[in-house]
Amino acid sequence: MSVTPKIISTLLASALAATSVTALAAPAAKPTAAEAERFLADTEARLNKLNNEQSRAAWVGSNFITDDTEGIASYFAERYLTASGEAAIGARRFNGVKLPAESARKIMLLQQTLVFADPKEREQYAQLQAAMNGAYGKAKYCSTPDNCMALGEMEKVLATSHDEAKLKEMWVGWHAQSPSYKQKYIDYVALSNKGAQQMGFADTGVMWRSQYDMPPEAFAAEMERLWQQVKPLYDSLLTYTRYKLRATYGPDVVPLDGPIPSHLFGNMWAQNWSNLYPLLKPTTGASSYDLTKVLEQRKTDAKQMTQYAEGFYTSLGMQKLPTSFWERSLLTKPRDRDVVCHASAWPLNEKDDVRIKMCITPTAEDFTVIHHELGHIYYFLAYTKQPFLFRNGANDGFHEAIGDTVALSITPSYLKQIGLMDQEPDVTADIPQLLERALSKVAILPFAYSVDKWRWDVYSGKTKPADYDNSWWQLREQYMGMKRPVPANGTSGFDAGAKYHVAADVPYARYFLADMLQFQFHRALCREAGYTGPLNRCSVYGNAKAGAKLQQMLALGASKPWPEALKAISGEDKIDGNALLEYFAPLKTWLDQQNAALAAAEKKS
Ligand code: X8Z
Ligand code: ZN
């Protein structure tokens, strides 16, 4: 798909002319393919350099949150934005010029970006982005002036406590932080839309939806199709969870019908319910194995956690992580300063300066997250040889899916092989294991879909700032079956901003796609490894053939439309929920049986 940008506004044309940018000096004659190649070579070299600088500044900005580092990060982000804006405008001259497929793709990719006509607005945009990132990273809930809690501590309470009042306090305490940067977000959205409109997109949401090798309307329809495909499984899981939460917190807190308060799901955003497993596990046949306990007992440190994950990737035939990764990554939360703890993976240059930033704790959840982060890292390393514009995932869902695909291979047999489990449970443990996995993989689906449904409406102007919370909770109720734990604070609230990806403006549809893709990848890799049993018991650990198949797709980066990359690994060319549904099919049957029995018992009482 190529985006057809509309006519450049006169304002932009004159503003850019005033900057005397060589790339903009439009030649009178129709540009040639040779000119396009020269333009691309120059542009890629320039953007690569500025991107490396911006990444380094952003790294420091997120690792040492101060006013100074925020200023430095926004200064370099702005420099990059200036160059990428000029490149986007420059690229338009070559629309319609007959070019080799890869060059035409680069010309298209260059135009999927914000362009600011007014340098002041560009500066303000970059400043707001850095400021929101910092505000999220610094935010704390203080019950008294000298008793403050960072997000990680509050998440721990939500994960482990069943004291409803305490859970509510944590939830309300964290959600009281984001209104402080609501005005920034409102201003940021307005600026971002202006930037998208300069490139012919109706708004930033449309630009986001245009990044999937299909028209934006087709992408929105795909998201809805995928959601409808998996919704029955989510409904079964929610019904079962409702009964168990009702048993724990009582019928006054958890109604039989209607939305459930969202602070009861073991997670600040109710997007991952893994921490509810002890409440939800089947009464018979449930494995008593607790990876968190094993990791804690062994005092597994952050480096060892990372080494376990690295060991998986090297078992697939991938390289060891470079020494600089170990020297430069941030693996634990520093005691003496504010950092953005939300886990992230970073390519700092086009060689092998790759790093992660994560406040690792020895828990089963972080064991999975570290595999997720290294998925990004191994993708970066696999496509370093691609030209700058192709150093990216086939689409952003692919980037998010790689590490999760690998983590689906964290099976009991794998844990036994690496010495983290003594004895593999028998097949009666399949349902408990599937349930545990569904609590993250199925629970996140309506969350991931609705975060960006909310933002699409915000960016389009359909949802006005005074309605941010209204709309957020309307979507939460519609898709997730949840409600706000306490009534909303009129029109000044900003609950969406309590989620990292909203404050940092990272699109979220990627996680929805990744949730489907990872099961397609897992199924394909298991087949490649010659495995024919149930997918939940397949681990490709140590399988070089599966590793080679994965690596082949990773190495493509963004050089081809994503359906080709998907085809290379799975033979399929559509993102589809059927692999996920196949994986969880035995659980769906079991949930429906449980729900029928629980409904009958409820009727009797
Ligand atoms: O943000 C992440 C990763 C980094 S890309 C840790 N995830 C989403 C989230 O935490 O909201 C992974 C799952 C969803
Ligand atoms: Zn990720």
Side-chain angles (χ1 to χ4, degrees):
M1 183 240 18
S2 77
V3 180
T4 326
K6 303 216 179 76
I7 322 140
I8 175 173
S9 80
T10 32
L11 171 67
L12 178 68
S14 52
L16 289 170
T19 60
S20 73
V21 178
T22 46
L24 290 175
K30 193 171 182 290
T32 63
E35 277 177 275
E37 299 300 342
R38 265 200 307 278
F39 165 79
L40 284 172
D42 292 349
T43 300
E44 288 196 280
R46 181 173 182 220
L47 291 182
N48 182 49
K49 182 170 180 292
L50 289 165
N51 189 45
N52 289 348
E53 289 173 7
Q54 126 170 298
S55 302
R56 186 171 260 181
W59 172 265
V60 175
S62 285
N63 272 276
F64 305 84
I65 306 177
T66 68
D67 291 346
D68 295 328
T69 59
E70 191 179 302
I72 292 167
S74 72
Y75 172 79
F76 283 98
E78 194 199 329
R79 277 169 62 95
Y80 182 80
L81 273 173
T82 306
S84 61
E86 288 169 3
I89 301 299
R92 315 171 83 139
R93 291 192 300 135
F94 302 104
N95 287 336
V97 175
K98 207 167 163 4
L99 297 172
E102 293 211 334
S103 306
R105 185 166 174 78
K106 288 180 180 175
I107 293 291
M108 181 271 287
L109 291 173
L110 277 172
Q111 293 173 67
Q112 294 188 339
T113 193
L114 304 178
V115 174
F116 292 92
D118 179 349
K120 277 230 158 52
E121 291 185 346
R122 182 165 52 231
E123 184 184 355
Q124 206 191 344
Y125 171 87
Q127 279 170 356
L128 286 169
Q129 188 161 50
M132 288 192 294
N133 192 47
Y136 185 94
K138 276 190 288 199
K140 286 183 186 65
Y141 159 60
C142 302
S143 53
T144 63
D146 38 38
N147 182 21
C148 295
M149 293 172 90
L151 174 61
E153 298 166 77
M154 303 171 81
E155 286 187 271
K156 192 155 186 192
V157 176
L158 283 172
T160 51
S161 170
H162 298 138
D163 173 347
E164 198 264 327
K166 192 88 202 144
L167 299 178
K168 196 181 273 176
E169 184 198 346
M170 295 298 110
W171 193 96
V172 172
W174 177 247
H175 285 78
Q177 305 311 309
S178 40
S180 71
Y181 46 86
K182 180 172 179 177
Q183 188 55 49
K184 285 192 170 56
Y185 187 75
I186 296 167
D187 296 343
Y188 176 86
V189 165
L191 287 170
S192 178
N193 275 338
K194 276 191 168 181
Q197 282 152 8
Q198 293 293 359
M199 282 312 290
F201 300 100
D203 60 68
T204 299
V206 177
M207 187 181 90
W208 285 5
R209 299 195 291 283
S210 299
Q211 289 168 356
Y212 296 93
D213 296 304
M214 65 176 86
E217 317 75 58
F219 178 70
E222 272 299 90
M223 291 285 284
E224 181 61 25
R225 175 184 71 81
L226 293 169
W227 166 239
Q228 291 303 333
Q229 219 183 350
V230 293
K231 183 177 181 301
L233 177 58
Y234 178 76
D235 289 343
S236 297
L237 184 67
L238 181 68
T239 303
Y240 176 74
T241 304
R242 179 193 296 275
Y243 285 121
K244 296 292 170 176
L245 288 177
R246 216 169 133 79
T248 309
Y249 295 105
D252 292 343
V253 181
V254 182
L256 202 48
D257 291 305
I260 305 171
S262 75
H263 62 306
L264 308 177
F265 289 82
N267 172 276
M268 188 60 86
W269 308 275
Q271 66 179 74
N272 180 339
W273 310 345
S274 301
N275 294 315
L276 294 188
Y277 182 70
L279 297 182
L280 268 56
K281 70 179 178 194
T283 38
T284 52
S287 113
S288 56
Y289 178 73
D290 182 345
L291 180 58
T292 300
K293 216 183 201 164
V294 175
L295 294 168
E296 262 174 13
Q297 272 167 1
R298 297 194 181 182
K299 299 198 170 27
T300 314
D301 66 22
K303 185 163 183 199
Q304 288 166 320
M305 295 271 284
T306 314
Q307 283 167 333
Y308 277 124
E310 180 194 32
F312 202 115
Y313 289 87
T314 54
S315 91
L316 294 175
M318 296 177 191
Q319 66 194 86
K320 279 187 88 74
L321 291 167
T323 315
S324 58
F325 170 91
W326 298 105
E327 290 164 353
R328 297 171 189 176
S329 289
L330 178 118
L331 302 180
T332 47
K333 185 173 176 2
R335 281 183 211 181
D336 58 345
R337 65 177 199 264
D338 290 321
V339 300
V340 180
C341 265
H342 189 90
S344 52
W346 300 58
L348 275 284
N349 66 19
E350 67 283 12
K351 297 186 187 92
D352 66 353
D353 189 349
V354 289
R355 314 173 190 177
I356 62 168
K357 183 171 62 57
M358 179 174 167
C359 304
I360 302 177
T361 55
T363 61
E365 194 174 333
D366 277 2
F367 195 73
T368 307
V369 176
I370 186 67
H371 285 76
H372 173 97
E373 293 309 325
L374 290 199
H376 290 304
I377 295 289
Y378 279 98
Y379 214 159
F380 299 148
L381 291 172
Y383 58 57
T384 46
K385 292 202 175 60
Q386 289 286 352
F388 175 77
L389 288 163
F390 294 156
R391 266 181 243 138
N392 212 337
N395 69 37
D396 55 4
F398 278 61
H399 229 304
E400 297 303 338
I402 304 310
D404 283 12
T405 303
V406 165
L408 286 177
S409 277
I410 304 176
T411 57
S413 88
Y414 164 67
L415 290 170
K416 185 160 178 257
Q417 278 184 71
I418 61 167
L420 282 174
M421 189 185 255
D422 294 335
Q423 184 151 15
E424 233 182 283
D426 64 29
V427 291
T428 59
D430 274 18
I431 291 294
Q433 281 155 22
L434 283 169
L435 176 63
E436 197 165 4
R437 201 145 251 168
L439 293 176
S440 57
K441 302 297 174 189
V442 178
I444 196 176
L445 288 162
F447 176 78
Y449 184 28
S450 59
V451 169
D452 272 3
K453 274 218 136 207
W454 181 82
R455 275 193 294 202
W456 294 348
D457 286 348
V458 165
Y459 274 119
S460 77
K462 186 172 162 220
T463 298
K464 305 273 182 285
D467 287 327
Y468 277 4
D469 275 0
N470 260 344
S471 162
W472 181 253
W473 286 103
Q474 188 269 324
L475 289 164
R476 239 109 282 274
E477 180 167 340
Q478 182 184 344
Y479 290 97
M480 298 168 75
M482 294 182 199
K483 66 177 180 192
R484 203 174 195 276
V486 294
N489 297 327
T491 54
S492 61
F494 187 31
D495 288 342
K499 178 67 196 159
Y500 169 76
H501 301 72
V502 174
D505 199 41
V506 180
Y508 210 85
R510 58 185 62 188
Y511 301 106
F512 181 82
L513 302 177
D515 218 56
M516 314 271 170
L517 280 168
Q518 62 192 261
F519 288 93
Q520 290 178 271
F521 295 164
H522 178 66
R523 183 167 68 181
L525 295 180
C526 291
R527 282 179 186 156
E528 186 70 18
Y531 178 87
T532 52
L535 287 174
N536 61 301
R537 265 184 261 152
C538 166
S539 177
V540 296
Y541 180 65
N543 193 291
K545 211 163 161 243
K549 189 93 187 166
L550 179 60
Q551 183 70 12
Q552 179 199 356
M553 183 190 78
L554 300 184
L556 290 175
S559 63
K560 303 263 186 279
W562 66 260
E564 286 182 45
L566 181 54
K567 201 148 202 166
I569 188 168
S570 71
E572 302 166 275
D573 60 5
K574 269 185 120 135
I575 302 179
D576 201 88
N578 73 39
L580 180 149
L581 294 175
E582 180 186 334
Y583 186 98
F584 288 114
L587 180 72
K588 172 82 167 85
T589 308
W590 182 85
L591 284 171
D592 291 344
Q593 283 163 355
Q594 296 295 310
N595 290 341
L598 288 161
E602 182 81 42
K603 250 199 198 126
K604 257 196 217 149
S605 66

